[in-house]
Every structure is written in structure tokens, then in C-alpha cells.
Amino acid sequence: MIADLIYDVGLHKGEDAAFYLKKGFKVLGIEANPELVQHCRSRFRNEVANGQLRIIEGAIAPASEGPAIPFYMNSDSVLSTINRNRAERTEKLGHKSECVVLPRVDVADVYRSCGVPYFLKVDVEGADHLVLEELKQQPNRPQYISVESDKVDFDEVEIQLGLLRDLGYRKFKAVQQQRIPGSRVDTTALDGSNVAHVFEGGASGPFGDDLGSQWLDFDGIIRRYQSIFRDYRYFGDDSLLAKFPVLALPFKAVYKLGTGHRGSLPGWYDTHASL
């Protein structure tokens, strides 16, 4: 494991890389969307020039897919994916996609050539599991991992958590993402200096010790996600309230009053894992 290296898999517009770079880490960003790659090369031109940020352009996909991959660039860039079914699902929600062909990124080769990072952030629609699976072949593990969790299928969440457990992770957190934009963290950089950072829209937020909340064991995180999926069932994209938004606000108010729930409903979550 390389103690000063972070992988930002799903670089997007650099919302997370900005924080990692401010903390003094070297960052390897992987991004499929060519427009976002150019945006980040411009935004972080100094960091790219001095080698603090390296950007790998292409789509993460299995080797069986060959050297070129169909990639569905969505009108809402966070929904872009290699998964055709996901693209069709989001198009039904009003977000159109354009199919482009991109070079395939071999994650196993990236690990071999660049090393295993201290922190691995994964947010690549439809390919998160590939990034985690390839860690099985590596002699080391990142100290921390964050990965977006599914909002629709609880079985998928259990599979993802089981994979993290198989990789050796024993401590977990489910971190609500809806309240990250605009939040502030006061932390320290690698050189010991103080760092204050306000997270922009689209950021996934802090990691590791900066998260603050209590770590859960495997059974605890399963119970936590069971509670989260109850909220998805009542308030999520496929819920009855989503079809009748005029009822959502009063129902949410009553629900919070009755259950003591605090924060966003339902939002969406990233799973954080620690060795």
C-alpha cells in the first residue's frame, strides 16, 4: 500500500480530487467521459504538470469486453455508465444517453503498475464491483474504501458488503450523501498543516478518521442498510410518494416526528470500509 496515494475512480469534475489534493495526497483519477477528462486537465493543470494528479482516460470493464467499450454518456453526467440496462432505466426517468466507444481500462493493470492506494474511492456506475474484485489478486489492500451503494436492490448491497468482508474489511459505515454538498471539514494534511474544506456539489465527502461517526461491524452495517431500505421503500424513486410528490413533505414530517429520524429522506448512501 502506498501511504500518500488515493485512487479517485470516477473522477467526474474533480469534486473529490480537490479535497484529496488539498490534503497533500497524490491522486490517480480514472474517468471515462472525455468532456470531464478535459475539464479536469484544465481545472488541475498545475497538479497534472507537477505530477500530483494523474488522469487515466477510459471505461472500466471486464477483459472479455475487448479493447473498446460502448459507454453511455448521460445528459446528467453522474448517471453515465457502461451498463446498457442502467442507461435505459435512467432514460425512462428523463435523462437521455449518447453511446460512444471508449478504450477499456484494465483495473488489474492499474493496480500492478501504480500500486495499491491508501484510500480507494469508487463511483463508476455499473462497474464498481470490478474495481473491488480485482483487489483479490493484490498482495495488499487500501486502508480505506468508499463505494456507492445500490438504492434499489438490497441483495446487491449484501453482495457488495460480502465482497468487502472477503477482502478483509471489518469496519463499515453507511454515509448519507445528500447532505455532503456545502458541508465543511477541518482536518490535517499529510505534512501536518491544518486544512479546512467545504465540499462542492457532487462530492462524496470525507473519508477515514474525518468521517467522525462510529464504525459498525458486518452485522451492524447489514442492520443499518435494512433500516435505510425501509426509507427507500417509503420515500425512494420507486415509492408511491415519488409518484405523488405533493404528499411527500407532510408524510416525511410525520415520519420524522414518529420515528425520531434526523437528516435527509431518503437520500443515497456510500459504504465506507476500513481494515
Side-chain angles (χ1 to χ4, degrees), residues 10 12 31-36 59 70-84 86-87 90 95-98 100 102 123-128 148:
H12 201 240
E31 177 56 49
N33 189 320
E35 296 175 357
L36 298 182
F71 180 73
Y72 301 91
M73 289 177 54
N74 200 280
S75 56
D76 182 349
S77 56
V78 298
L79 300 175
S80 298
T81 180
I82 65 167
N83 188 302
R84 183 175 179 178
R86 280 177 179 253
T90 56
H95 302 286
K96 297 187 67 175
S97 295
E98 174 190 359
V100 298
L102 301 176
D123 188 358
V124 278
E125 299 288 327
D128 292 351
E148 187 177 26

Side-chain angles (χ1 to χ4, degrees), residues 196-211:
H197 186 78
V198 177
F199 292 102
E200 59 195 89
S204 62
F207 66 93
D209 292 337
D210 288 335
L211 287 170

Side-chain angles (χ1 to χ4, degrees), residues 140 174 247:
N140 301 306
L247 301 176

